[in-house]
Amino acid sequence: MDAPAAPEALSSGAEVRFSGPQGRLAVVCANGGQAAQVPGTWSASIEWLVRRLAPSFADVRFAEVRYRVKSWKRLDLCVEDAVAAVMAAGAERTLLLGFSMGGAVCVGAAAHPSVVGVLGLAPWLPEQLDLAPLRGRRLDVLHGALDRWLPGIPGVSPTVSRRGYERARRMGVEGSYAVIPGAVHGVALRAPSGRLVTLPRAARWAELVAEHVSRFRGSA
């Protein structure tokens, strides 16, 4: 896979990496987070997916966001960073892709006029999250069947995303929900060397994400 593009500064102070030329369509990708208020990092799972999928979608611009602070205690800042990336992508139609906490971030950013939907990968959709920005958009969710939170090991139970998805459906939001057998929290990890190490069922994650991106492209 090709090396990631050089990062660019966003108006919010965060950073973004683009794959593909600016055009009518963009997929803006938001990373997970944690309780501690620490500087943002690039998501190994999102990076692996973008490097794998971008060559097959030459007319879609992929954007990977690195938050200023990757913490759910500053979800407001993360949402600002995602919106800034949507604006920088400059597309007529945008699909937001959020991993873990990035699911909540994408919901918060969904009110931007160009956004047509949110694709959550093991998304954190807590009960207190306001889902109103999803009105008029889609919410599609993919979640690993073996995903769990354990002491010292990050994770989001599928029951959390399922409850959030059902809340959205009761609001009239269209979408889909799929569980991936044998999959855990995420698609890849980053080794100390910087190399990406795939997690179980990574190829299935990529296949399903590609299907959603294809539908997004086909609806344009």
Side-chain angles (χ1 to χ4, degrees), residues 44 104 111 126 149 151 170 177 197 220:
W149 181 89
R170 289 194 294 271
Y177 189 98
V197 179

Side-chain angles (χ1 to χ4, degrees), residues 14 22 32 35 49 51 70 77 80 100 105 146 149 185 211 219:
Q22 183 173 352
L49 285 169
R51 301 286 81 74
K70 63 165 191 176
L77 296 182
E80 289 176 5
S100 195
V105 172
L146 303 182
W149 181 89
H185 190 65
E211 289 178 4
S219 66

Side-chain angles (χ1 to χ4, degrees), residues 41-62:
T41 57
W42 301 110
S43 166
S45 289
I46 289 173
E47 181 177 320
W48 189 89
L49 285 169
V50 169
R51 301 286 81 74
R52 188 179 182 95
L53 298 178
S56 299
F57 296 96
D59 56 338
V60 178
R61 192 178 208 192
F62 289 82

